[in-house]
Amino acid sequence: LAKTTQPISMDSYEGQEVNITCSHNNIATNDYITWYQQFPSQGPRFIIQGYKTKVTNEVASLFIPADRKSSTLSLPRVSLSDTAVYYCLVYTDKLIFGTGTRLQVFP
Amino acid sequence: KAGVTQTPRYLIKTRGQQVTLSCSPISGHRSVSWYQQTPGQGLQFLFEYFSETQRNKGNFPGRFSGRQFSNSRSEMNVSTLELGDSALYLCASSLVGTSGRYEQYFGPGTRLTVT
């Protein structure tokens, strides 16, 4: 079962781009890579999902290299409201959350 | 469309009691999964129900059980509560299941405190 490794915490300032990298060395051929955002006392919220190369939506981009052993969530121009915990997940037959990255955005 | 709803939002129980939590998925979603979140263990998968059948199960003792009804609503039951069961219990629904291509939508959770 693939496991993910992420930095425990990151700090940034408003307006900056934030890149959070996740390692998933044991990813299987059919596994998708998904990122969730969680605020205190709320359930996680889906941000983006990808299988390979690059995926972009209205809130983030996800970069996945050819070997798929890592992925990078890119948040453009973060604001204070982006302060949250971000989870990288590799889908297999069940959703296994990693420890997450606590992003703190300062004014 | 309405999101995932969970009731109650907060609950206080004493050791040895049992508790039932409820989850109503997004309309049309047939898969419901349950998770336990604690500061020490993070988010842990409990089980998933799809079309009234348990499809996946995490590594939790038999005190944790669940069921799903024909309208896809799900309940989770914890018997003989222990202090360590204090946690945020999250329910998530998805269109088909926890396969790679379908995202899960989480409810706000039920905060269970065991005293």
PDB file of all heavy atoms in Angstrom, chain A residues 10-24:
ATOM      1  N   MET A  10       4.748  24.426   6.785  1.00  0.00           N
ATOM      2  CA  MET A  10       5.345  25.424   5.906  1.00  0.00           C
ATOM      3  C   MET A  10       4.777  26.780   6.266  1.00  0.00           C
ATOM      4  O   MET A  10       3.608  26.875   6.666  1.00  0.00           O
ATOM      5  CB  MET A  10       5.031  25.121   4.435  1.00  0.00           C
ATOM      6  CG  MET A  10       5.650  23.869   3.894  1.00  0.00           C
ATOM      7  SD  MET A  10       5.265  23.616   2.147  1.00  0.00           S
ATOM      8  CE  MET A  10       6.218  24.925   1.396  1.00  0.00           C
ATOM      9  N   ASP A  11       5.595  27.811   6.095  1.00  0.00           N
ATOM     10  CA  ASP A  11       5.155  29.189   6.307  1.00  0.00           C
ATOM     11  C   ASP A  11       5.249  29.954   4.995  1.00  0.00           C
ATOM     12  O   ASP A  11       6.139  29.698   4.179  1.00  0.00           O
ATOM     13  CB  ASP A  11       6.020  29.885   7.360  1.00  0.00           C
ATOM     14  CG  ASP A  11       5.833  29.311   8.754  1.00  0.00           C
ATOM     15  OD1 ASP A  11       4.769  28.701   8.999  1.00  0.00           O
ATOM     16  OD2 ASP A  11       6.750  29.445   9.576  1.00  0.00           O
ATOM     17  N   SER A  12       4.342  30.897   4.807  1.00  0.00           N
ATOM     18  CA  SER A  12       4.389  31.735   3.618  1.00  0.00           C
ATOM     19  C   SER A  12       3.776  33.083   3.952  1.00  0.00           C
ATOM     20  O   SER A  12       3.228  33.294   5.036  1.00  0.00           O
ATOM     21  CB  SER A  12       3.629  31.073   2.477  1.00  0.00           C
ATOM     22  OG  SER A  12       3.714  31.856   1.300  1.00  0.00           O
ATOM     23  N   TYR A  13       3.877  34.010   3.005  1.00  0.00           N
ATOM     24  CA  TYR A  13       3.266  35.313   3.138  1.00  0.00           C
ATOM     25  C   TYR A  13       2.210  35.484   2.077  1.00  0.00           C
ATOM     26  O   TYR A  13       2.266  34.859   1.001  1.00  0.00           O
ATOM     27  CB  TYR A  13       4.313  36.413   3.050  1.00  0.00           C
ATOM     28  CG  TYR A  13       5.251  36.444   4.237  1.00  0.00           C
ATOM     29  CD1 TYR A  13       6.470  35.766   4.192  1.00  0.00           C
ATOM     30  CD2 TYR A  13       4.906  37.123   5.393  1.00  0.00           C
ATOM     31  CE1 TYR A  13       7.313  35.775   5.283  1.00  0.00           C
ATOM     32  CE2 TYR A  13       5.752  37.145   6.491  1.00  0.00           C
ATOM     33  CZ  TYR A  13       6.961  36.457   6.429  1.00  0.00           C
ATOM     34  OH  TYR A  13       7.787  36.468   7.517  1.00  0.00           O
ATOM     35  N   GLU A  14       1.268  36.333   2.358  1.00  0.00           N
ATOM     36  CA  GLU A  14       0.206  36.602   1.397  1.00  0.00           C
ATOM     37  C   GLU A  14       0.780  37.005   0.049  1.00  0.00           C
ATOM     38  O   GLU A  14       1.758  37.758  -0.031  1.00  0.00           O
ATOM     39  CB  GLU A  14      -0.693  37.722   1.909  1.00  0.00           C
ATOM     40  CG  GLU A  14      -1.701  37.294   2.951  1.00  0.00           C
ATOM     41  CD  GLU A  14      -2.731  38.377   3.207  1.00  0.00           C
ATOM     42  OE1 GLU A  14      -2.356  39.443   3.729  1.00  0.00           O
ATOM     43  OE2 GLU A  14      -3.907  38.155   2.872  1.00  0.00           O
ATOM     44  N   GLY A  15       0.173  36.525  -1.012  1.00  0.00           N
ATOM     45  CA  GLY A  15       0.591  36.899  -2.354  1.00  0.00           C
ATOM     46  C   GLY A  15       1.671  36.019  -2.942  1.00  0.00           C
ATOM     47  O   GLY A  15       1.923  36.078  -4.149  1.00  0.00           O
ATOM     48  N   GLN A  16       2.305  35.196  -2.122  1.00  0.00           N
ATOM     49  CA  GLN A  16       3.354  34.320  -2.626  1.00  0.00           C
ATOM     50  C   GLN A  16       2.769  33.037  -3.191  1.00  0.00           C
ATOM     51  O   GLN A  16       1.642  32.652  -2.887  1.00  0.00           O
ATOM     52  CB  GLN A  16       4.352  33.984  -1.511  1.00  0.00           C
ATOM     53  CG  GLN A  16       5.224  35.137  -1.081  1.00  0.00           C
ATOM     54  CD  GLN A  16       6.323  34.696  -0.136  1.00  0.00           C
ATOM     55  OE1 GLN A  16       6.171  33.741   0.618  1.00  0.00           O
ATOM     56  NE2 GLN A  16       7.451  35.400  -0.172  1.00  0.00           N
ATOM     57  N   GLU A  17       3.567  32.366  -4.011  1.00  0.00           N
ATOM     58  CA  GLU A  17       3.191  31.042  -4.503  1.00  0.00           C
ATOM     59  C   GLU A  17       3.743  30.008  -3.528  1.00  0.00           C
ATOM     60  O   GLU A  17       4.880  30.108  -3.068  1.00  0.00           O
ATOM     61  CB  GLU A  17       3.777  30.801  -5.888  1.00  0.00           C
ATOM     62  CG  GLU A  17       3.478  29.405  -6.447  1.00  0.00           C
ATOM     63  CD  GLU A  17       4.171  29.172  -7.781  1.00  0.00           C
ATOM     64  OE1 GLU A  17       5.406  29.002  -7.785  1.00  0.00           O
ATOM     65  OE2 GLU A  17       3.476  29.139  -8.811  1.00  0.00           O
ATOM     66  N   VAL A  18       2.940  29.027  -3.208  1.00  0.00           N
ATOM     67  CA  VAL A  18       3.367  27.978  -2.288  1.00  0.00           C
ATOM     68  C   VAL A  18       3.375  26.645  -3.013  1.00  0.00           C
ATOM     69  O   VAL A  18       2.407  26.294  -3.691  1.00  0.00           O
ATOM     70  CB  VAL A  18       2.435  27.906  -1.068  1.00  0.00           C
ATOM     71  CG1 VAL A  18       2.747  26.661  -0.237  1.00  0.00           C
ATOM     72  CG2 VAL A  18       2.573  29.155  -0.213  1.00  0.00           C
ATOM     73  N   ASN A  19       4.467  25.931  -2.876  1.00  0.00           N
ATOM     74  CA  ASN A  19       4.578  24.592  -3.463  1.00  0.00           C
ATOM     75  C   ASN A  19       4.786  23.569  -2.353  1.00  0.00           C
ATOM     76  O   ASN A  19       5.744  23.671  -1.590  1.00  0.00           O
ATOM     77  CB  ASN A  19       5.744  24.531  -4.449  1.00  0.00           C
ATOM     78  CG  ASN A  19       5.529  25.439  -5.637  1.00  0.00           C
ATOM     79  OD1 ASN A  19       4.487  25.389  -6.281  1.00  0.00           O
ATOM     80  ND2 ASN A  19       6.499  26.278  -5.926  1.00  0.00           N
ATOM     81  N   ILE A  20       3.923  22.615  -2.275  1.00  0.00           N
ATOM     82  CA  ILE A  20       4.026  21.557  -1.270  1.00  0.00           C
ATOM     83  C   ILE A  20       4.276  20.255  -2.008  1.00  0.00           C
ATOM     84  O   ILE A  20       3.469  19.831  -2.841  1.00  0.00           O
ATOM     85  CB  ILE A  20       2.736  21.432  -0.433  1.00  0.00           C
ATOM     86  CG1 ILE A  20       2.366  22.782   0.179  1.00  0.00           C
ATOM     87  CG2 ILE A  20       2.928  20.385   0.662  1.00  0.00           C
ATOM     88  CD1 ILE A  20       1.030  22.775   0.910  1.00  0.00           C
ATOM     89  N   THR A  21       5.395  19.625  -1.690  1.00  0.00           N
ATOM     90  CA  THR A  21       5.767  18.396  -2.373  1.00  0.00           C
ATOM     91  C   THR A  21       5.469  17.186  -1.508  1.00  0.00           C
ATOM     92  O   THR A  21       5.644  17.214  -0.295  1.00  0.00           O
ATOM     93  CB  THR A  21       7.257  18.415  -2.749  1.00  0.00           C
ATOM     94  OG1 THR A  21       7.469  19.497  -3.671  1.00  0.00           O
ATOM     95  CG2 THR A  21       7.671  17.124  -3.406  1.00  0.00           C
ATOM     96  N   CYS A  22       5.046  16.141  -2.155  1.00  0.00           N
ATOM     97  CA  CYS A  22       4.698  14.904  -1.478  1.00  0.00           C
ATOM     98  C   CYS A  22       5.442  13.761  -2.157  1.00  0.00           C
ATOM     99  O   CYS A  22       5.512  13.707  -3.386  1.00  0.00           O
ATOM    100  CB  CYS A  22       3.187  14.700  -1.574  1.00  0.00           C
ATOM    101  SG  CYS A  22       2.576  13.152  -0.937  1.00  0.00           S
ATOM    102  N   SER A  23       5.998  12.878  -1.360  1.00  0.00           N
ATOM    103  CA  SER A  23       6.667  11.692  -1.898  1.00  0.00           C
ATOM    104  C   SER A  23       5.758  10.480  -1.754  1.00  0.00           C
ATOM    105  O   SER A  23       5.147  10.286  -0.698  1.00  0.00           O
ATOM    106  CB  SER A  23       7.974  11.415  -1.149  1.00  0.00           C
ATOM    107  OG  SER A  23       8.881  12.450  -1.345  1.00  0.00           O
ATOM    108  N   HIS A  24       5.681   9.715  -2.800  1.00  0.00           N
ATOM    109  CA  HIS A  24       4.887   8.472  -2.767  1.00  0.00           C
ATOM    110  C   HIS A  24       5.626   7.436  -3.604  1.00  0.00           C
ATOM    111  O   HIS A  24       5.225   7.094  -4.706  1.00  0.00           O
ATOM    112  CB  HIS A  24       3.454   8.687  -3.260  1.00  0.00           C
ATOM    113  CG  HIS A  24       3.285   9.813  -4.217  1.00  0.00           C
ATOM    114  ND1 HIS A  24       3.602   9.723  -5.553  1.00  0.00           N
ATOM    115  CD2 HIS A  24       2.825  11.074  -4.019  1.00  0.00           C
ATOM    116  CE1 HIS A  24       3.335  10.887  -6.146  1.00  0.00           C
ATOM    117  NE2 HIS A  24       2.872  11.714  -5.234  1.00  0.00           N
TER     118      HIS A  24
END
